[in-house]
Amino acid sequence: MKKLLVLLLLFTVTFTYSQNDDDKLQLEKIYKTSLTNGKSYEWLDYLSNQIGGRLSGSYNAEKAVQYTKSQLDSLGLDRVWLQPVMVPKWVRGIKEYAYIESSPGKTNQVNICALGGSVATPEGGLKAEVIEVKGIDDLATIGKEKIEGKIVFYNRPMQPELIHTFEAYGNCVDQRYAGAMEAAKYGAVGVIVRSMNLRLDDLPHTGSMSYGETPENKRIPAAAISTNDAELLSGMLALDKSLKFYFSQKCKVYPDVQSYNVIGEIKGNEYPNEIITVGGHLDSWDLGDGSHDDGAGCVQSMDVLRLLKETGYKPKRTIRVVLFMNEENGLRGGKKYAEEAKGKGENHVFALESDSGGFTPRGFSFDCDEANFNKILQWKSLFEPYLIHYFEKGYSGADIGPLKDTGLVLAGLRPDSQRYFDHHHASNDTFEHVNKRELELGAATMASLVYLIDKYGTLLPKKVKG
Amino acid sequence: MKKLLVLLLLFTVTFTYSQNDDDKLQLEKIYKTSLTNGKSYEWLDYLSNQIGGRLSGSYNAEKAVQYTKSQLDSLGLDRVWLQPVMVPKWVRGIKEYAYIESSPGKTNQVNICALGGSVATPEGGLKAEVIEVKGIDDLATIGKEKIEGKIVFYNRPMQPELIHTFEAYGNCVDQRYAGAMEAAKYGAVGVIVRSMNLRLDDLPHTGSMSYGETPENKRIPAAAISTNDAELLSGMLALDKSLKFYFSQKCKVYPDVQSYNVIGEIKGNEYPNEIITVGGHLDSWDLGDGSHDDGAGCVQSMDVLRLLKETGYKPKRTIRVVLFMNEENGLRGGKKYAEEAKGKGENHVFALESDSGGFTPRGFSFDCDEANFNKILQWKSLFEPYLIHYFEKGYSGADIGPLKDTGLVLAGLRPDSQRYFDHHHASNDTFEHVNKRELELGAATMASLVYLIDKYGTLLPKKVKG
């Protein structure tokens, strides 16, 4: 009986707590300000339409650094700075070209793009027979004899039955990332991959790939073809295994270049050494303008600090926006930020990343211990009026991952993911596919969580230095 | 103490119940079938791209009746039929034209469309000074003297701070629906309304309006202008109250014509006289192709029956799909269906409508008594894996509204509403703005609720006749 009473008491306390009127009011202010006087959409417009795609090491990436720094400078934060980081520079070169040759002179042109990090095809392009596989494991089964001299075609689609599209992506992306290094071991001369896209369309989707330890002279070119073309190629192969595939790409790796993470902060007035970081990545792939991936996350993160200021909130802890450079093909920005934070003995208590598109926010996933997770769950009802229901343990974000440490709470914004992979790394990741309200709701949702974490702190913070 | 025990027991029972493995499995089957082998998107493609906008009384509406009936015929249902209903026929005529005249010969063209049901402008169009108001209440304050001979410009925007966009719509739409009949009382010669759209763009949004009891010779033409043009006109009026607005529209009301509700059903094998109805409306406005409003709801409703069949489920109760005609400008189909149902003493136990767009489903709102609502709430956890969290009391749908009766449970699918009013009643309510997965998730969500209602029944069903 006593246990029951305690349970009931706990329930009552929790309930009262989560209904805290000040918090309700502050969340109302944050959402209203974002929806009526948000800056995220205007910033994204500039980033997408005035700058555009901003692959690490490009002139556009540099322009994005300067632009976002200038915007942070204008917000009256306590400090804005650039954190230098060397980044890789891979350049696509002139547009790729590909076709299926079913008999000499009879060709079907194919929508193709080089994977980020790939080598070029030989001078004049590469033409070879094709062997279709459903994944890396198939290579061993098929054996070197049948693969040697051919182009390996990875054609395992994303699973439409999975509700979380990122899970479907996770189940497929090894083909893109490691497909070339694995196929090279079996003597393949090139790799083409079905685009990581849940729908059938004509757009090829790029993304990072790695050669791992493959020596330079053994590296084979890798490219993605559209889902429609993957279906076509697979269908044609079923009829004729001896057809040939041609592709030509002129991509190239240059030496690393200097770039920057862009950082701004509001100093905490009670616990300035406890740092809350909110961010996204400033670099993007080069085919679209990077509006969803991850312009959205950058402008939302910038607006988190502005929304807290606009609503008159004075943070107890130091709140930092970090626009990470080079998430897409190296994660150098995320690694650098964590390295310097650890070097300086900075005490990060919470880090939040938005890198899943600018769609209607549904909630967060948390990478933290049970105690902190349970504490956060008590705030869930505060978010219900904004249709934010999803609070689960899970993945946070690539850029904040390197910060991971005991006691630190990592979180990722989880927007609706159904349309994300229609645009991801493709030429239609563009501004017109971001809805202003959805973007602003995301910024407000992030600002609300940052507010609550700042106000109530996290459990078991590490010992504060300095 | 006893109360506490009872509470705890109730909690345990509820928990066990909602975790029912059969139900979990059936929902898994429904969602998987919809996402891998759904028909809704294919049907919508035809309805939108081969037929297009289908205003009541139009040839396209008739084609939509024939097409959907033929598709239902192909599903092997127990019965498919057309329910005759007379519908109004309003025709837009040639494209409307409008401009702001700031001084003689100096004009800005304006994006305009007649409101559904409006009379035409006089031969040669209508030109008059403009009086801007924020709503119908302003008319009395301003008074007849200042309104007489002028065009009343209703310019109260939808409130961006509301999370539920339908609430913002509800707070605005009186201007469109009743603006003309009210302004006519003060001697206005015409009415223009700011489009019911949360974003700023160039598209005028049509929609129904009524003259109420206004005699025919006192009816004044009413039209909507785009939000950008509303901002422009308001800004120009601030500088010059004597500017003139010109518009011309040739719309016309014809005598009522014969049309149909399209109905199909699977007979229940235990309680065939208990009827579960699921539907949307087949008519649409004429500017776009009616993909979201309400092609989506129709094809989802059709797929509910198909999904139940495909997954091998044999309904206990009779499950009916109803594609209602004339929701947009008359609700004749909904009224007719209810009238016949009542006339025949049919026992409807549950009715579900999808008429809020084909976006990612978030849940349902229920118009029913507490007992039934609490019963339904017990199923909530079954929907969580599909990110369906929203179960609230509220509005169901226009077409099923006339069925309302004691003991009957009415429900509306609640998709994400953030983008809905970007497209609603405008020329961009088109197929390419519907995402296949989002549409299919909606169909599966509806089918899942229909399955649970069919399996467990509703509380306090009415006495079954016949």
Side-chain angles (χ1 to χ4, degrees):
Chain A
M1 275 310 118
K2 214 171 166 185
K3 255 191 192 164
L4 275 175
L5 268 182
V6 171
L7 264 172
L8 198 75
L9 194 72
L10 200 72
F11 179 74
T12 316
V13 170
T14 306
F15 193 73
T16 318
Y17 180 76
S18 68
Q19 297 292 312
N20 185 303
D21 286 343
D22 282 356
D23 296 337
K24 261 176 107 166
L25 211 69
Q26 177 60 18
L27 263 63
E28 270 174 41
K29 280 206 264 180
I30 288 172
Y31 276 93
K32 183 170 179 173
T33 306
S34 191
L35 287 167
T36 58
N37 180 27
K39 285 280 278 182
S40 53
Y41 195 67
E42 183 187 322
W43 283 328
L44 188 64
D45 188 1
Y46 193 97
L47 209 53
S48 300
N49 292 321
Q50 302 304 315
I51 297 177
R54 39 197 182 277
L55 192 54
S56 290
S58 67
Y59 180 52
N60 277 1
E62 197 49 35
K63 284 205 281 186
V65 165
Q66 297 307 328
Y67 170 68
T68 50
K69 179 174 184 299
S70 76
Q71 292 304 305
L72 291 179
D73 279 334
S74 74
L75 296 183
L77 306 178
D78 293 315
R79 198 177 153 218
V80 176
W81 72 102
L82 300 180
Q83 180 176 50
V85 54
M86 294 301 288
V87 296
K89 183 179 173 77
W90 173 86
V91 174
R92 183 174 303 281
I94 60 159
K95 198 164 158 34
E96 304 85 342
Y97 181 71
Y99 58 79
I100 302 165
E101 188 180 79
S102 46
S103 61
K106 192 157 186 295
T107 61
N108 287 73
Q109 205 182 317
V110 159
N111 296 291
I112 195 166
C113 68
L115 295 181
S118 173
V119 296
T121 48
E123 195 61 38
L126 173 69
K127 185 153 73 176
E129 285 189 10
V130 176
I131 183 132
E132 178 177 346
V133 298
K134 291 293 179 199
I136 289 168
D137 289 348
D138 286 358
L139 299 175
T141 318
I142 294 168
K144 193 163 183 170
E145 204 180 317
K146 287 186 182 157
I147 295 171
E148 200 148 38
K150 290 188 184 145
I151 291 170
V152 169
F153 167 35
Y154 290 99
N155 192 28
R156 184 169 80 256
M158 289 175 76
Q159 295 154 273
E161 67 271 26
L162 297 177
I163 306 299
H164 294 270
T165 60
F166 281 87
E167 197 184 334
Y169 178 66
N171 291 347
C172 261
V173 73
D174 63 324
Q175 302 172 97
R176 189 194 77 203
Y177 188 76
M181 71 166 116
E182 295 303 326
K185 294 176 188 166
Y186 294 85
V189 293
V191 154
I192 46 176
V193 186
R194 180 193 183 96
S195 285
M196 308 286 124
N197 180 5
L198 274 154
R199 71 176 179 186
L200 292 174
D201 65 24
D202 296 326
L203 305 176
H205 294 228
T206 190
S208 66
M209 55 84 65
S210 166
Y211 290 111
E213 302 301 311
T214 318
E216 277 199 28
N217 63 346
K218 302 270 187 201
R219 295 181 181 181
I220 59 175
I225 62 175
S226 76
T227 46
N228 273 338
D229 287 318
E231 293 287 300
L232 176 72
L233 178 57
S234 183
M236 289 176 73
L237 280 169
L239 297 174
D240 175 15
K241 297 228 176 306
S242 69
L243 63 73
K244 288 188 172 147
F245 190 88
Y246 169 88
F247 72 116
S248 156
Q249 56 191 33
K250 307 276 184 192
C251 36
K252 194 173 164 184
V253 175
Y254 289 85
D256 288 0
V257 301
Q258 180 73 69
S259 189
Y260 304 91
N261 293 327
V262 182
I263 310 178
E265 73 178 21
I266 304 172
K267 211 79 185 162
N269 61 21
E270 274 186 48
Y271 314 106
N273 293 331
E274 290 193 22
I275 297 168
I276 290 171
T277 282
V278 54
H281 64 84
L282 195 50
D283 64 308
S284 80
W285 282 107
D286 53 337
L287 297 177
D289 64 30
S291 283
H292 276 297
D293 186 13
D294 183 27
C298 288
V299 298
Q300 287 173 326
S301 299
M302 290 162 71
D303 223 14
V304 166
L305 274 66
R306 198 194 63 97
L307 290 170
L308 294 177
K309 276 182 80 86
E310 281 282 317
T311 53
Y313 182 68
K314 307 267 180 245
K316 296 178 182 178
R317 293 164 173 82
T318 292
I319 299 183
R320 216 178 250 182
V321 53
V322 184
L323 310 179
F324 297 94
M325 184 51 69
N326 185 230
E327 189 271 349
E328 293 295 2
N329 57 341
L331 206 66
R332 301 275 186 90
K335 288 174 184 165
K336 181 68 164 198
Y337 182 78
E339 181 192 310
E340 283 206 5
K342 284 173 189 177
K344 289 180 186 167
E346 284 183 348
N347 181 25
H348 281 72
V349 295
F350 178 62
L352 169 63
E353 180 153 0
S354 168
D355 183 20
S356 304
F359 302 99
T360 299
R362 306 293 302 268
F364 302 95
S365 52
F366 296 92
D367 182 0
C368 65
D369 56 30
E370 283 304 312
N372 274 301
F373 184 56
N374 288 329
K375 180 169 181 175
I376 289 165
L377 283 183
Q378 295 180 353
W379 304 326
K380 217 179 138 173
S381 65
L382 282 167
F383 286 89
E384 268 180 28
Y386 311 102
L387 303 177
I388 303 300
H389 305 100
Y390 187 84
F391 287 74
E392 301 286 342
K393 297 286 286 280
Y395 179 72
S396 58
D399 297 289
I400 60 174
L403 279 173
K404 190 164 173 145
D405 204 350
T406 322
L408 170 65
V409 177
L410 295 170
L413 182 72
R414 290 289 151 253
D416 190 288
S417 76
Q418 300 309 322
R419 283 169 288 138
Y420 187 67
F421 291 96
D422 296 355
H423 303 279
H424 184 242
H425 298 180
S427 60
N428 65 340
D429 180 3
T430 46
F431 185 68
E432 70 268 27
H433 296 292
V434 176
N435 176 275
K436 183 170 181 283
R437 291 177 60 82
E438 297 185 357
L439 183 75
E440 290 166 348
L441 285 169
T445 303
M446 294 165 72
S448 297
L449 181 62
V450 165
Y451 155 76
L452 289 164
I453 295 264
D454 177 70
K455 184 166 169 188
Y456 297 108
T458 55
L459 298 171
L460 313 169
K462 290 181 293 175
K463 206 176 134 231
V464 181
K465 288 188 192 178
Chain B
M1 274 312 118
K2 215 171 166 187
K3 253 193 193 162
L4 274 177
L5 268 181
V6 171
L7 266 171
L8 198 74
L9 193 71
L10 199 74
F11 178 74
T12 315
V13 171
T14 308
F15 192 74
T16 317
Y17 181 80
S18 68
Q19 297 293 312
N20 186 303
D21 286 343
D22 282 356
D23 296 337
K24 260 174 107 166
L25 212 67
Q26 177 60 18
L27 263 64
E28 270 174 41
K29 281 206 263 179
I30 288 172
Y31 276 93
K32 184 170 179 173
T33 306
S34 191
L35 287 168
T36 59
N37 180 27
K39 285 280 277 182
S40 53
Y41 195 67
E42 184 187 321
W43 284 328
L44 188 64
D45 188 0
Y46 193 96
L47 209 52
S48 301
N49 291 322
Q50 302 303 315
I51 298 177
R54 39 197 182 276
L55 192 54
S56 290
S58 67
Y59 179 52
N60 277 0
E62 198 49 34
K63 284 204 283 185
V65 165
Q66 297 307 328
Y67 171 67
T68 50
K69 179 173 184 300
S70 76
Q71 290 305 304
L72 290 179
D73 279 334
S74 75
L75 296 183
L77 306 179
D78 294 314
R79 197 177 154 220
V80 175
W81 71 100
L82 299 181
Q83 179 176 50
V85 54
M86 295 300 289
V87 296
K89 183 178 173 76
W90 174 84
V91 173
R92 183 175 303 281
I94 61 159
K95 197 165 160 35
E96 304 83 343
Y97 181 71
Y99 58 80
I100 302 165
E101 186 180 80
S102 46
S103 60
K106 192 158 186 297
T107 60
N108 287 73
Q109 206 182 318
V110 159
N111 296 289
I112 194 165
C113 68
L115 295 182
S118 174
V119 296
T121 48
E123 195 60 39
L126 174 68
K127 184 152 75 177
E129 285 189 11
V130 176
I131 183 132
E132 178 178 346
V133 297
K134 291 295 177 196
I136 288 168
D137 289 349
D138 286 359
L139 299 174
T141 318
I142 293 167
K144 194 165 183 168
E145 203 181 319
K146 287 184 182 159
I147 295 172
E148 199 148 38
K150 291 188 183 145
I151 292 170
V152 170
F153 168 35
Y154 289 99
N155 192 29
R156 184 169 80 256
M158 288 175 76
Q159 295 155 271
E161 68 272 25
L162 297 176
I163 305 299
H164 295 270
T165 61
F166 281 86
E167 197 184 334
Y169 179 65
N171 291 347
C172 260
V173 73
D174 63 322
Q175 302 173 97
R176 190 195 75 203
Y177 188 76
M181 72 167 115
E182 295 303 325
K185 294 176 189 166
Y186 293 84
V189 293
V191 154
I192 46 177
V193 186
R194 179 193 185 96
S195 285
M196 308 285 127
N197 180 3
L198 274 154
R199 70 177 179 185
L200 291 173
D201 66 24
D202 295 327
L203 304 176
H205 294 228
T206 190
S208 66
M209 55 84 65
S210 166
Y211 289 112
E213 302 300 312
T214 317
E216 278 201 28
N217 63 346
K218 301 272 187 200
R219 294 181 183 182
I220 59 175
I225 62 175
S226 75
T227 46
N228 273 339
D229 286 318
E231 293 287 301
L232 175 71
L233 178 57
S234 183
M236 289 176 73
L237 280 169
L239 297 173
D240 175 14
K241 298 227 174 308
S242 67
L243 63 75
K244 287 186 173 150
F245 190 89
Y246 169 89
F247 71 118
S248 157
Q249 57 191 33
K250 307 276 184 192
C251 36
K252 193 173 166 186
V253 175
Y254 289 85
D256 288 0
V257 301
Q258 180 75 69
S259 189
Y260 304 92
N261 293 328
V262 182
I263 310 179
E265 73 179 21
I266 303 172
K267 211 80 184 161
N269 61 21
E270 275 187 49
Y271 314 106
N273 293 331
E274 290 193 22
I275 296 168
I276 290 172
T277 281
V278 54
H281 64 84
L282 195 50
D283 64 308
S284 80
W285 282 107
D286 53 337
L287 299 177
D289 64 30
S291 283
H292 276 297
D293 186 13
D294 182 27
C298 289
V299 297
Q300 286 173 327
S301 298
M302 290 162 69
D303 223 15
V304 165
L305 274 67
R306 199 193 63 95
L307 290 171
L308 293 177
K309 275 182 80 84
E310 282 282 317
T311 54
Y313 181 68
K314 306 269 181 243
K316 296 178 181 178
R317 293 163 172 83
T318 292
I319 300 184
R320 215 177 252 180
V321 53
V322 185
L323 310 180
F324 297 94
M325 184 51 70
N326 185 230
E327 189 270 350
E328 293 295 3
N329 57 341
L331 206 66
R332 300 274 186 91
K335 287 175 185 164
K336 181 70 164 196
Y337 182 79
E339 183 191 307
E340 283 206 4
K342 284 174 189 176
K344 291 181 185 165
E346 285 182 347
N347 181 24
H348 280 73
V349 295
F350 178 61
L352 169 63
E353 181 154 359
S354 167
D355 182 21
S356 305
F359 303 99
T360 299
R362 306 294 303 268
F364 302 95
S365 51
F366 296 92
D367 182 2
C368 66
D369 57 30
E370 283 305 311
N372 275 301
F373 184 56
N374 288 329
K375 180 169 181 175
I376 289 165
L377 283 184
Q378 295 179 353
W379 304 327
K380 216 179 140 173
S381 66
L382 283 167
F383 287 89
E384 266 180 29
Y386 311 101
L387 303 177
I388 303 300
H389 304 98
Y390 188 84
F391 288 74
E392 300 287 341
K393 297 287 285 280
Y395 179 72
S396 58
D399 297 289
I400 59 174
L403 279 173
K404 189 162 174 145
D405 204 351
T406 321
L408 170 65
V409 177
L410 296 170
L413 181 73
R414 290 288 150 254
D416 190 288
S417 76
Q418 300 309 321
R419 283 169 288 138
Y420 187 66
F421 291 96
D422 296 355
H423 303 279
H424 184 244
H425 298 180
S427 60
N428 65 339
D429 180 3
T430 46
F431 185 67
E432 71 267 28
H433 295 291
V434 176
N435 177 275
K436 182 170 181 283
R437 290 177 60 80
E438 296 185 358
L439 184 75
E440 290 165 348
L441 285 169
T445 303
M446 293 165 72
S448 297
L449 182 62
V450 165
Y451 155 77
L452 289 164
I453 295 263
D454 177 70
K455 184 167 170 187
Y456 297 107
T458 55
L459 298 171
L460 312 168
K462 289 182 295 174
K463 207 175 134 232
V464 181
K465 289 187 194 179

